[in-house]
């Protein structure tokens, strides 16, 4: 549901935008006013998703993990190199 909730989803009574609870049935309206945050953050590229769904899923997992912690850089070092 959107922020512009005009009627109680439980009983159908009219509510104002500032109401935290329905004046008629005392239902908490806060869960119905919040937007899903994750749906706003993730944009779907449908052509890429249809072409390779596994790769797109892995991109999302890496993005989710990168938000949690800093990425670790692995650098190759050959033991016989002089650097």
């Amino acid at each position: 549901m959107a922020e512009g909730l005009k009627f109680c989803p439980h009983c159908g009574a009219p509510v104002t935008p500032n109401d935290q609870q329905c004046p008629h049935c005392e239902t908490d309206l806060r869960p119905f006013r919040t937007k899903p945050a994750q749906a706003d953050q993730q944009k779907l590229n449908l052509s890429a998703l249809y072409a390779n769904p596994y790769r797109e899923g892995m991109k999302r997992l890496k993005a989710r993990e990168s938000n949690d912690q800093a990425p670790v850089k692995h650098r190759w070092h050959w033991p016989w190199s002089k650097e």
Side-chain angles (χ1 to χ4, degrees), residues 11-82:
C11 68
V15 294
T16 62
N18 297 332
D19 285 341
Q20 296 294 323
Q21 290 184 342
C22 174
H24 186 261
C25 66
E26 300 298 322
T27 301
D28 188 17
L29 298 174
R30 287 177 289 177
F32 299 103
R33 291 186 191 275
T34 58
K35 293 182 181 178
Q38 201 168 26
D40 293 340
Q41 293 174 355
Q42 290 183 348
K43 304 269 181 167
L44 290 178
N45 183 355
L46 290 180
S47 60
L49 184 62
Y50 290 142
N52 196 345
Y54 177 78
R55 183 176 181 195
E56 293 300 311
M58 292 306 292
K59 283 182 185 177
R60 290 185 188 184
L61 286 177
K62 284 186 178 182
R64 189 179 301 161
E65 289 175 358
S66 69
N67 291 341
D68 296 340
Q69 58 187 347
V72 178
K73 293 186 179 181
H74 296 284
R75 297 184 184 217
W76 291 97
H77 175 70
W78 300 105
W80 57 83
S81 68
K82 295 181 180 180

